[in-house]
Each structure stands twice: as structure tokens, then as C-alpha cells.
Amino acid sequence: MARRANPAAELMQAGSHRWTLWMRRALQLAALAEGQTSPNPLVGAVVLDAQGALVGEGFHAKAGQAHAEVGALAQAGGRAKGGTIIVTLEPCCHQGRTPPCSEAVIQAGIQRVVVALKDPDPRVAGGGIQRLRDAGLEVITGVLETEAAHQNRAFVHRVQTGRPWGLLKWAMSLDGRTALPNGESQWISAPPARGWVHQLRAGCDAVIVGGGTVRADNPLLTSRGARSPEPMRVVLSRSLDLPPQAQLWDTSLASTLLAHGPGCADRPLPEGPEHLELLASEPLDLLHALAARGCNRVLWECGPSLAAEAVKQGCVQELAVVIAPKLLGGQSARTPLGELGFSAMDQVIPLSALSAEWLGGDLLLGALTPVLDPTV
């Protein structure tokens, strides 16, 4: 005998699948503003009318501008009444630069709210969902929560730790070299990989190098127009032994922040960049300062010594490594990371969430680092 179908279960499964499809669209909308919303998160929203037809879409384009829910509801107009809004992040319930989104949802006559991720911001933290339920709206949570958390991992990390999400990038040869023994390093990777780097910078709020990179490479560190305004360029220097003329000191294309420790007031500083004195010229101090400036995600494009310190101080959450099919050789050739202080294999840092893709003829490897306690 055939098993009888459960109509209620089938209806629930169909409804869940429908919310998943629309939530994917909301996540796509949110991604359109990558690199532009800090210190705010990426948020996308979709509005369906009472019959389930699409009547409005929106995404948060920039801090200070309309939130995703408001934009989608404005597009829907009166057709939103009795309908559903699907949003990638819990609607806010506090007054910021813009009014609370929870109130806009209620006033629009929405009957159902589908949320991917609860907002970790202490000013919200479930309060938006509770406000909607108190007003009699049905609220469904956790739809594509994992995907939404990944999309807003930088925002969540900053809220929870007080530091931006750190991404460490380097390009190296197949034998693990980032430069020849004489220091020559341009170019290890091919043009497709360099174009990828420009897009990577466009998705970050700041690009960080040390004084050694400024002296050796005289980099420009822009997205080459992939983003406007360009991400902030940051130089972290202990010695302030910096060239008086460098591309980074010209701030007509992008802003530059020169960060250093105390006791440097009597040393000559280049004109052009903003100067920031830290309690200590360390990666952790710098990231706290950048978080206070609203940075959610930063890109480390530094040399091996600073990269190793950033890793040791828990300032790197993600790795992006371009491997070129070349052999550089040389026992004294530069490698991507400086000394990490390990003396046994059980001390090394394990990586997770490994990924791989081709950038033309170069191989891009991605990975996440474990959570490291910077106070240890």
C-alpha cells in the first residue's frame, strides 16, 4: 500500500523552498553594495504582495542612505499591504542616520517577515524581530542563515570583536617565493590575477602595508577605478624610515593614513597622508583604530614580517594566495610569512574552508584561519 501524503508537511516544505528562492535573490541584491556600506552591513530585501507576486526590491547602497527594507517598500507602494518582506538581516529597531526599519515594515501593512540572520548589533540583537511580533506580524527566521552570515562575516566580526575582518593576500611562485634573492618581485602573477586584486581591494575598506613595502615596491594600492571612492590606503611604520616621495603620499586618487607608535613627533613625516599615533605600532592597535573609523574589512598586502605579526595577533581571519606556475629558487629568496615562533608541528596553524579557482594560468587558494586570542 502506498504511503499517504501529508498535505500540511508538503505545504510547509513548499513554503520553505519558496522563501529560500526569494532569500537568494535578496542576498544577490545585498552583494551589489559590497565594499560600500561600512560601518553598516550588507542588506537586501524583496517584497511580495498578498498573492506572492514580486512588487519591490531594494538593497542598502551606502551608510546614511535608505536601508534595504525602505527601498523595497517604496518600490512596492500600496501593493505591500498584506504581503511578505524577505530580508537578509533582521530589520533595525533603533534610530540611527535613518528611522527604524521595523516601524516602516509595520506601517506598510506587511503581514509576514522572513529573516535570514539576526543582527548582532547590541542596539538590535533580536529587538527588531520582537517589535514585529509584538505588532502582530508573522516572523520566520533562519532562512539561508549560513549564507547570510558568510556574506556579512566582516560586519559580524567587527561587532563581536571590535576589529575589522582581516584578509591577508600574497602572490608567490610554485616553490613558495614572493621575490628573487635580489628583491625583484614584479611580476610573479599574470594580468588576470592582478585584475582580481583590484576587485579584491574594491571590496575592502582599507589596504594595509608596512614601511618595507613602501620602500621596496612604491605601490599605488588602488582598485584602478573599480570602486569610488577608493579604499583607504594605510601604512603601518615603526621606524618612519620612509621615502619622501612615494605614490601613497599623493592623496588625489585615494586617501592615505600613516600610522605609527608614540615618540615619533621629532621625525620627519611625509606631507599628504593623514598621520595617526597609536599606543603601539602593532597590527592589533591599528585594527582597533580602523574599527573606530568604521572599517568592516581590511586587506593586508604587506611583507613577511608584518604579515607574521598580523597572524600572531589574531588580525587575519582569511587568506587569499595566488600561486604562479613559476620557479624562482634561491635559499635567501623572500617567502610570504616571517617567523611565527613554532618549534613543533602541533603548534602550527590549521586552516579550514579551503577553496581553489583559476585566475588565467595562476591558481588562487583561499582559506580561513582559526579564531586566535590576541591577548594570549
Side-chain angles (χ1 to χ4, degrees):
M1 175 182 282
R3 180 179 297 179
R4 297 180 60 184
N6 184 335
E10 290 180 356
L11 183 62
M12 183 177 297
Q13 183 177 8
S16 175
H17 180 61
R18 177 171 55 144
W19 303 141
T20 297
L21 291 176
W22 285 118
M23 189 62 77
R24 291 199 188 282
R25 175 56 183 165
L27 288 167
Q28 290 174 345
L29 291 167
L32 294 175
E34 184 177 4
Q36 299 287 344
T37 63
S38 295
N40 294 348
L42 295 164
V43 186
V46 171
V47 177
L48 309 179
D49 66 14
Q51 287 71 48
L54 175 66
V55 292
E57 294 184 330
F59 65 95
H60 182 45
K62 191 175 183 179
Q65 295 185 9
H67 287 189
E69 301 94 319
V70 174
L73 290 170
Q75 191 178 92
R79 294 172 294 175
K81 188 172 183 180
T84 299
I85 186 167
I86 297 97
V87 61
T88 60
L89 189 71
E90 173 185 3
C92 62
C93 55
H94 65 282
Q95 177 70 46
R97 296 189 193 180
T98 58
C101 292
S102 56
E103 299 307 311
V105 171
I106 294 168
Q107 292 170 12
I110 288 288
Q111 292 298 304
R112 182 187 297 109
V113 182
V114 181
V115 176
L117 182 68
K118 291 184 179 180
D119 192 339
D121 189 325
R123 297 172 297 177
V124 186
I129 292 172
Q130 190 59 51
R131 173 71 183 103
L132 295 171
R133 286 176 172 158
D134 289 345
L137 279 68
E138 177 189 1
V139 181
I140 300 171
T141 62
V143 177
L144 294 187
E145 181 178 13
T146 300
E147 290 87 339
H150 179 76
Q151 183 179 72
N152 265 316
R153 61 194 183 279
F155 169 76
V156 172
H157 180 79
R158 181 185 60 78
V159 170
Q160 293 178 342
T161 68
R163 304 188 306 275
W165 178 274
L167 170 57
L168 173 60
K169 184 276 301 181
W170 70 73
M172 67 181 185
S173 61
L174 191 58
D175 56 339
R177 269 54 176 177
T178 59
L180 292 169
N182 65 359
E184 176 66 27
S185 62
Q186 295 183 339
W187 294 97
I188 290 178
S189 58
R194 300 200 290 274
W196 165 82
V197 170
H198 299 154
Q199 292 296 325
L200 185 66
R201 291 172 183 164
C204 296
D205 301 307
V207 182
I208 307 171
V209 297
T213 298
V214 178
R215 292 188 295 270
D217 299 337
N218 189 23
L220 186 59
L221 299 183
T222 69
S223 71
R224 303 304 195 270
R227 164 181 164 171
S228 180
E230 291 281 354
M232 177 170 56
R233 305 172 299 185
V234 180
V235 179
L236 179 61
S237 175
R238 287 192 177 95
S239 66
L240 286 179
D241 178 19
L242 301 168
Q245 302 296 326
Q247 293 192 96
L248 294 180
W249 309 154
D250 180 359
T251 56
S252 60
L253 286 177
S255 64
T256 301
L257 177 69
L258 174 54
H260 55 83
C264 297
D266 57 340
R267 300 182 184 181
L269 297 174
E271 295 183 2
E274 178 187 356
H275 302 130
L276 174 66
E277 182 176 300
L278 304 170
L279 293 176
S281 184
E282 298 292 341
L284 191 58
D285 293 80
L286 174 61
L287 288 201
H288 282 299
L290 293 180
R293 290 170 176 250
C295 292
N296 281 340
R297 188 182 189 215
V298 300
L299 176 62
W300 295 91
E301 288 200 54
C302 50
S305 297
L306 181 53
E309 285 302 315
V311 169
K312 287 191 290 186
Q313 294 181 28
C315 297
V316 173
Q317 284 65 53
E318 186 176 0
L319 296 177
V321 180
V322 175
I323 302 177
K326 300 174 182 177
L327 299 177
L328 271 61
Q331 291 186 343
S332 62
R334 191 168 64 179
T335 55
L337 285 175
E339 180 59 58
L340 292 175
F342 301 144
S343 58
M345 287 302 296
D346 60 0
Q347 299 173 333
V348 304
I349 300 173
L351 304 177
S352 62
L354 301 180
S355 63
E357 62 179 285
W358 290 104
L359 301 173
D362 298 324
L363 179 63
L364 171 63
L365 298 181
L368 299 181
T369 67
V371 177
L372 300 178
D373 186 351
T375 62
V376 176

